[in-house]
Amino acid sequence: MEFNSTPAQELRAYLCKKGHVVKNWKLRLFVLKPGSNFMEYFVDESKESIHQSKGKVPLYGCKVGEYTHNSSNNPREYCFIVEGSSGKSWIVSASSKVQQMQWINAIKEAATQAEETDDVKYAKHKFIEKQLANDVKARSKVPILKLLLLGTGESGKSTIVKQMKILHHHGFTKEEEEFYKHLIFRNLLDGVALMVHVIKENKIFLPDDTMSAINNFKSWYHIYLERRPPTIRTKYTTATTSSLAYSPTPTPTPPLSPNHSPPHKAATLTAGIDITRLSITDTSSSSTSSSLNSNGAATTDNALLSTSPMSMSMSTTGASGTTTTTTTKAPHTRSNSDNGANTIFNVQDFGIPPIITNYISIIWSDPIVQTEVMQKAQRYHINESTQYYLNEVKRIGKTTYLPTNMDILKSRATTNGVVETDFKVADVIFRIVDVAGQRGERKKWINFFDDVTAIIFVAAINEYDQTLVEDNCTNRLQESLNLFDQVCNDKTFPNTSIILFMNKIDLFREKLKRVSIKTCFSEYQDDQSYEKSSNYIKNSFLTKKRGQNTSKHIYYHFTCATDTKSFEAVFNSVQDIIISKTLELYC
């Protein structure tokens, strides 16, 4: 299955569009250009020639599907509807079933490639503001308490939103579970690829069996990465990830050096690997084979489509320089049956192939990989969830795999822009606004919101020995302290209470056994006990508040956002404080 990076050609036709204000139909010239973030429509060609469009349909995050227009006085066939991420929709009528499906498929493909422009962000902001205005009118019935979720990137803010969905939204929808399943696949495979690069760059010696599995994985990952679509699409939705109730953007392939130099596609991971040695062989017939040429293109004999058992053979060079041929027999399954040379790289539709799961298991079973490699990988910004997923790789690799709540809580994706989620607790609605924490996102969004009831600031205290992905120089915990200083003393929130979540205490406890917090706080003189170390970090945050404003309170908690039971206890303790402080506004 091939993935096109952009629509093959420009699509244009006169289609009827239903008006947004006056509900009549107008004939318009619709134009969909390859690589465009919008689908434009014009009155006619003369207006197109002077670039005077009648309107634009933003493609980023849109949904498109068939639409039934059953108006008694003007029924229409072959309609489709495009729903934008800002809440606006367009109803269009084609002239035939073929034309209807042509446009639906073209818009679906374009939506996966579209980027979120400033116009789209502004439209989403106005839509949110409109929702907030409507909520104000209903305050007499149901109080809405807005909580602004702030903190640096990867501090665990989005994990808190996931926990609230588990506790107060009855978990995740089928659409969300499907999305997270594919995100977990990417987190796992990218994590293994990064470890493989760490092994190579640091020249870590490993046994031949482990090196054979590593080289086989590298050969497969190179082609998989080239063919992997840029966005995650599920059978429940045809839109990009932003159409979900909680919609992060998948984290890109992690940086491949501690200096944060960008990878050159997958070439860095596969230097010196002859991918022509990767082959799938039908063991029932010596004349049946499927191989990959130097461009990664599949060449498959017809006999490969048989239902006989299959095996994958790879010739690799081990650490000692000897050549090893590994043949692993696999059952005839989703990953090696029809058109196996293509499906084995199509994780999006067929999951992780069993033979790749086996290679990952071999790599992870090596004690040196679990210790030395994982420790060095921290300098390369490896996701904290990688070790968890590696321990669960056999379960994740099953054809029947469905993610558990813990799997989803551990998944990692970069939040772009703002994600709003409402939770009704007792007779109060909590509106949690998750603001992206990367440096480039902060100033862009923080001033968009007024009437904030409280701020939840999340700090990952285990990051005291790590540097930012953004510059690879600044200490992450020091960056969090500086940001907390700005938030505490920002005039935008003069009387807003702040709830400080010092997060990831489970990882903090483990790291204290190996690394001193003096890495971050050179003046620290006490021992490395959890109690004294955590107390010192807590005081470092609390002393950031300046001035004599007694109406601004700081409430703090040590948290583990992936622990549902403990997080529920923490949130229950803070919600009473928030409610008692704000309910008087609605009386």
Side-chain angles (χ1 to χ4, degrees):
M1 181 176 179
E2 300 295 333
F3 299 94
N4 297 321
S5 59
T6 57
Q9 60 185 6
E10 181 178 299
L11 192 61
R12 55 196 297 113
Y14 277 96
L15 306 172
C16 287
K17 184 186 79 70
K18 188 175 183 181
H20 287 96
V21 180
V22 179
K23 305 299 182 181
N24 57 357
W25 294 83
K26 295 287 187 180
L27 192 64
R28 297 286 183 249
L29 174 62
F30 280 77
V31 180
L32 179 58
K33 296 181 179 179
S36 176
N37 295 316
F38 297 92
M39 177 174 64
E40 296 183 283
Y41 53 92
F42 304 84
V43 173
D44 51 35
E45 288 95 334
S46 64
K47 298 298 183 182
E48 182 192 9
S49 64
I50 60 175
H51 306 291
Q52 186 177 339
S53 65
K54 194 69 177 176
K56 295 181 178 181
V57 180
L59 298 174
Y60 178 85
C62 76
K63 292 182 179 180
V64 59
E66 298 182 49
Y67 181 82
T68 303
H69 186 74
N70 289 327
S71 175
S72 58
N73 60 346
N74 189 12
R76 284 180 176 266
E77 294 184 297
Y78 316 126
C79 293
F80 61 90
I81 183 171
V82 183
E83 300 176 86
S85 60
S86 64
K88 188 175 181 179
S89 60
W90 292 260
I91 299 174
V92 183
S93 174
S95 60
S96 66
K97 184 67 176 179
V98 172
Q99 188 181 53
Q100 177 197 41
M101 298 310 300
Q102 180 187 29
W103 279 86
I104 288 176
N105 291 331
I107 294 171
K108 285 180 182 179
E109 180 63 27
T112 66
Q113 309 297 330
E115 298 179 352
E116 189 176 25
T117 64
D118 289 339
D119 290 341
V120 173
K121 291 178 181 178
Y122 181 74
K124 288 170 67 176
H125 166 63
K126 297 302 292 184
F127 179 71
I128 292 171
E129 289 297 305
K130 184 178 179 180
Q131 284 185 315
L132 296 178
N134 292 335
D135 291 338
V136 170
K137 299 177 182 179
R139 279 182 174 177
S140 59
K141 298 180 180 179
V142 181
I144 298 177
L145 309 184
K146 191 196 300 187
L147 308 180
L148 189 57
L149 198 58
L150 299 179
T152 58
E154 300 185 51
S155 59
K157 300 185 298 299
S158 298
T159 306
I160 290 173
V161 177
K162 295 176 192 174
Q163 283 287 20
M164 294 296 288
K165 289 183 69 65
I166 293 172
L167 294 171
H168 301 292
H169 262 189
H170 307 294
F172 302 96
T173 65
K174 291 294 184 182
E175 178 185 5
E176 291 168 326
E177 287 181 348
E178 183 76 4
F179 167 82
Y180 283 116
K181 180 176 76 171
H182 295 299
L183 178 60
I184 289 164
F185 288 158
R186 294 191 180 199
N187 284 171
L188 172 60
L189 294 173
D190 290 347
V192 175
L194 183 52
M195 289 197 306
V196 167
H197 178 79
V198 170
I199 293 167
K200 177 182 177 182
E201 185 166 280
N202 291 273
K203 299 179 180 179
I204 299 174
F205 181 83
L206 296 171
D208 286 352
D209 287 348
T210 306
M211 288 304 302
S212 177
I214 286 173
N215 290 330
N216 289 338
F217 175 83
K218 285 165 64 177
S219 299
W220 173 85
Y221 182 81
H222 169 57
I223 303 168
Y224 152 75
L225 193 61
E226 287 184 341
R227 299 187 179 190
R228 185 167 80 180
T231 57
I232 295 176
R233 295 173 64 182
T234 74
K235 63 184 178 181
Y236 295 97
T237 178
T238 58
T240 57
T241 58
S242 61
S243 65
L244 295 172
Y246 166 69
S247 54
T249 301
T251 305
T253 304
L256 299 182
S257 76
N259 296 324
H260 192 42
S261 57
H264 300 286
K265 292 187 178 180
T268 308
L269 289 173
T270 56
I273 302 301
D274 182 6
I275 61 174
T276 60
R277 294 184 179 183
L278 175 62
S279 64
I280 301 175
T281 305
D282 183 350
T283 56
S284 67
S285 173
S286 60
S287 63
T288 302
S289 67
S290 174
S291 63
L292 295 164
N293 61 31
S294 59
N295 296 321
T299 57
T300 311
D301 294 339
N302 290 334
L304 180 64
L305 305 181
S306 67
T307 58
S308 57
M310 304 175 74
S311 68
M312 177 178 283
S313 300
M314 297 188 185
S315 300
T316 58
T317 303
S320 63
T322 59
T323 300
T324 304
T325 301
T326 302
T327 302
T328 304
K329 191 170 182 178
H332 185 78
T333 65
R334 60 179 179 172
S335 65
N336 57 17
S337 59
D338 294 347
N339 203 14
N342 285 321
T343 60
I344 196 171
F345 302 110
N346 187 359
V347 175
Q348 176 83 7
D349 293 331
F350 298 93
I352 301 175
I355 194 167
I356 302 304
T357 302
N358 184 52
Y359 290 143
I360 294 173
S361 297
I362 293 172
I363 295 168
W364 183 237
S365 65
D366 192 296
I368 299 175
V369 175
Q370 295 189 20
T371 53
E372 182 182 352
V373 174
M374 279 300 295
Q375 289 178 18
K376 290 184 182 296
Q378 302 302 318
R379 297 190 295 115
Y380 297 73
H381 308 289
I382 193 169
N383 286 341
E384 294 163 346
S385 61
T386 301
Q387 184 169 346
Y388 169 82
Y389 291 138
L390 285 168
N391 288 331
E392 301 292 330
V393 65
K394 291 184 179 179
R395 176 173 60 86
I396 293 173
K398 290 182 178 179
T399 59
T400 56
Y401 170 68
L402 289 175
T404 64
N405 283 344
M406 181 58 74
D407 293 347
I408 293 174
L409 289 170
K410 292 283 188 179
S411 65
R412 168 63 186 154
T414 301
T415 303
N416 291 321
V418 170
V419 178
E420 280 196 358
T421 315
D422 288 354
F423 306 96
K424 189 172 183 180
V425 183
D427 295 324
V428 176
I429 291 178
F430 286 89
R431 172 161 294 154
I432 296 184
V433 184
D434 183 7
V435 183
Q438 286 70 26
R439 281 180 172 179
E441 297 282 345
R442 295 173 197 165
K443 292 183 179 179
K444 189 185 304 181
W445 293 101
I446 198 169
N447 293 321
F448 272 39
F449 301 93
D450 300 320
D451 303 323
V452 173
T453 305
I455 294 172
I456 298 178
F457 189 94
V458 186
I461 63 173
N462 69 304
E463 296 180 339
Y464 60 85
D465 68 331
Q466 297 173 242
T467 57
L468 293 178
V469 174
E470 292 95 315
D471 66 8
N472 211 56
C473 297
T474 306
N475 182 279
R476 290 194 185 190
L477 188 52
Q478 288 294 343
E479 177 81 356
S480 186
L481 283 163
N482 292 336
L483 183 59
F484 186 74
D485 188 339
Q486 297 173 32
V487 171
C488 277
N489 303 292
D490 195 319
K491 295 180 180 179
T492 307
F493 313 108
N495 301 312
T496 305
S497 295
I498 297 175
I499 302 163
L500 172 62
F501 282 175
M502 287 169 282
N503 196 30
K504 303 188 181 182
I505 57 173
D506 53 332
L507 301 176
F508 178 71
R509 287 179 186 272
E510 287 299 314
K511 186 171 287 187
L512 279 175
K513 299 174 183 178
R514 308 188 312 270
V515 185
S516 168
I517 67 169
K518 289 182 180 180
T519 305
C520 181
F521 307 100
S522 58
E523 68 281 5
Y524 179 73
Q525 298 298 325
D526 273 318
D527 58 45
Q528 284 298 109
S529 66
Y530 169 80
E531 291 75 16
K532 291 184 178 180
S533 298
S534 60
N535 188 63
Y536 185 87
I537 293 175
K538 176 201 71 177
N539 290 332
S540 298
F541 276 100
L542 297 183
T543 54
K544 293 297 181 181
K545 178 188 171 184
R546 298 187 296 273
Q548 303 299 320
N549 186 354
T550 57
S551 62
K552 175 178 281 190
H553 300 281
I554 299 179
Y555 306 93
Y556 64 87
H557 292 270
F558 291 97
T559 59
C560 175
T562 56
D563 186 334
T564 301
K565 187 175 181 179
S566 67
F567 180 81
E568 182 178 21
V570 169
F571 188 80
N572 287 341
S573 68
V574 300
Q575 75 180 35
D576 293 337
I577 298 172
I578 298 171
I579 292 173
S580 63
K581 185 175 176 60
T582 57
L583 274 183
E584 58 188 41
L585 298 175
Y586 303 95
C587 296

